[in-house]
Amino acid sequence: MEAYKRWVRSNKDYVHSLESLANGLTWLLPERFSASEIGPEAVTTILGIITAINEHIIDTTPIQKGTGSSEPNPFPYSLCISALKDLETLVEVVAQQYYGDDKKWNFIAITEATKVLVRLALFRNSGFKMLLHGGETLNVEKPSDNSSSQHRVGGFPGPEGNHGPGYLRNPEGRALSALNRFGENARMISQPSWLQRIQQQQSIMEPPTPVVERPTLSTILSEKGVNGALFVMGEVLCITRPLIYVLFIRKYGIRSWIPWFLSLGVDFMGFSFLSLVTKSRHGGQEKDFDLSVSQKDELKRRKLLWALYLMRDPFFSKYTRQRLERTGKMLEPVPVIGFLTEKLVELVIGAQTRYTYMSGS
């Protein structure tokens, strides 16, 4: 297994090219989107899981030789979520063929509930960080070296400590700095020379690793106040939205507008909470959430996913499908373009039955 990991990490571009080619060819498999598509869907699922494993190997590449993995959690949550998403469509196809259209939603709901539990566990264990791509992408911030490079010498605080460069400009700061240096010198003098040499070698060979405490729900609520509560609620709504959607489809049916509007409302409410806490100020009384570039991109991605409601029933059956079929008939007489448009419409209609209710989750 270690040999395979090394090969994947040293041939990332080659692996990505093979995965893209294989996943693209699965859309052209015979009997894809037909009544008995278990075989093609099983092939697609296996390729998807292999792709997820390779991405997990690449994402958890050790930062330096001799260091541990970059995976922030011992349990591979991102890999588990990706595998569940790939298995979900296969579960749907098998359940539909053996149990029918109505009972298949029981199995889909169980799969969605499992994904929700894994995502909630990841959300908690990551210190309540925003989930990127539903938890499939690791939300790992690069540590800043400013404080260690400017204010630390040999792993110990410099004369400025943690007070900043302007600290020594006032008498109190100079006095405390002098006392600090006096205490350090007295401590070094009182220690034997051999002990000083050992400590210096250890500080060079094994620089101290800063211990970062993982935020808990209570600390977020106490430090961020209302903004912290809204942020957690927004993420929880985003995580549970697919399960809520499937449960209401199971109760009212895929042709009902109730699951469609309810899912859209949950999406809009969760996104509104997140947008509110990242833009609000509250007169400076509460700390704001400073989003990283990847987190800002995640909010844009979630907003773009609202377009999938055009592909979800009953909106798709009543409006979108008619437009697609009308466009296909209009372009049918045109050579090549008409044929490609017909195949594209066929793929879109087939994919709509499998990949729209859970997309974006």
Side-chain angles (χ1 to χ4, degrees):
M1 188 62 183
E2 291 298 326
Y4 179 74
K5 288 182 179 180
R6 289 194 296 269
W7 182 83
V8 170
R9 289 165 179 167
S10 60
N11 298 275
K12 293 186 289 186
D13 295 336
Y14 181 67
V15 170
H16 287 156
S17 299
L18 285 178
E19 291 169 353
S20 300
L21 178 61
N23 290 324
L25 291 176
T26 57
W27 290 84
L28 304 177
L29 289 174
E31 297 184 353
R32 188 71 188 270
F33 306 123
S34 62
S36 57
E37 55 172 334
I38 295 179
E41 197 57 56
V43 173
T44 305
T45 301
I46 293 173
L47 289 176
I49 293 176
I50 293 175
T51 300
I53 293 174
N54 291 337
E55 290 298 324
H56 180 74
I57 292 174
I58 294 172
D59 290 340
T60 55
T61 302
I63 300 175
Q64 295 177 351
K65 186 176 180 181
T67 61
S69 169
S70 61
E71 172 73 57
N73 298 295
F75 184 79
Y77 289 100
S78 59
L79 178 59
C80 184
I81 293 171
S82 299
L84 285 172
K85 289 189 69 174
D86 290 319
L87 282 171
E88 190 164 25
T89 307
L90 181 60
V91 169
E92 177 187 356
V93 172
V94 173
Q96 182 177 2
Q97 183 163 342
Y98 288 100
Y99 297 96
D101 289 335
D102 295 333
K103 292 185 178 180
K104 76 174 184 180
W105 294 105
N106 296 331
F107 297 91
I108 296 175
I110 293 174
T111 310
E112 283 292 345
T114 306
K115 285 164 55 180
V116 167
L117 292 177
V118 175
R119 282 172 174 156
L120 289 176
L122 173 59
F123 184 50
R124 177 181 177 273
N125 291 331
S126 64
F128 297 93
K129 291 182 179 180
M130 181 184 295
L131 300 188
L132 306 181
H133 293 85
E136 294 183 81
T137 302
L138 300 177
N139 189 355
V140 181
E141 297 179 0
K142 295 182 180 180
S144 176
D145 296 328
N146 293 334
S147 60
S148 60
S149 61
Q150 295 178 3
H151 304 303
R152 287 179 176 268
V153 179
F156 294 96
E160 295 180 7
N162 297 325
H163 300 283
Y167 179 67
L168 298 179
R169 295 174 185 172
N170 56 77
E172 294 83 2
R174 289 194 295 269
L176 290 176
S177 178
L179 290 174
N180 181 50
R181 287 196 300 269
F182 176 79
E184 288 292 331
N185 295 332
R187 184 180 62 85
M188 296 296 292
I189 293 172
S190 62
Q191 291 178 347
S193 59
W194 62 269
L195 181 59
Q196 295 179 21
R197 288 195 298 268
I198 292 177
Q199 290 179 347
Q200 290 176 357
Q201 292 176 358
Q202 288 180 347
S203 64
I204 295 174
M205 296 176 61
E206 299 180 1
T209 303
V211 179
V212 180
E213 294 184 0
R214 185 178 61 194
T216 62
L217 182 60
S218 59
T219 57
I220 289 179
L221 294 179
S222 60
E223 293 179 1
K224 304 291 185 178
V226 177
N227 280 352
L230 291 177
F231 176 82
V232 173
M233 289 174 59
E235 277 297 295
V236 171
L237 286 175
C238 180
I239 293 171
T240 57
R241 195 277 311 166
L243 177 60
I244 296 172
Y245 186 37
V246 169
L247 290 176
F248 276 82
I249 290 177
R250 177 176 173 269
K251 182 176 181 180
Y252 293 100
I254 193 67
R255 303 295 181 183
S256 174
W257 283 99
I258 295 178
W260 192 89
F261 277 112
L262 184 62
S263 178
L264 179 61
V266 172
D267 255 341
F268 180 78
M269 188 180 300
F271 186 84
S272 299
F273 286 163
L274 294 176
S275 299
L276 182 64
V277 300
T278 55
K279 295 179 181 178
S280 62
R281 288 296 178 266
H282 290 277
Q285 296 178 357
E286 294 178 356
K287 296 182 180 179
D288 302 319
F289 283 85
D290 295 326
L291 300 183
S292 62
V293 176
S294 59
Q295 290 172 338
K296 293 178 181 178
D297 292 339
E298 173 65 17
L299 288 181
K300 295 177 182 178
R301 185 190 74 90
R302 294 182 186 181
K303 193 172 183 179
L304 290 174
L305 287 176
W306 290 357
L308 287 173
Y309 283 96
L310 302 177
M311 299 295 296
R312 290 171 179 158
D313 282 327
F315 191 95
F316 179 82
S317 300
K318 294 182 178 297
Y319 302 103
T320 309
R321 182 168 184 170
Q322 297 177 4
R323 296 290 182 90
L324 290 174
E325 292 176 345
R326 190 179 304 123
T327 303
K329 291 181 180 179
M330 183 175 62
L331 297 176
E332 185 177 0
V334 181
V336 182
I337 296 179
F339 174 77
L340 294 177
T341 303
E342 180 184 359
K343 290 300 180 182
L344 179 61
V345 171
E346 181 182 344
L347 287 175
V348 170
I349 294 175
Q352 186 273 335
T353 61
R354 301 286 184 224
Y355 304 106
T356 54
Y357 70 88
M358 58 185 176
S359 296
S361 60

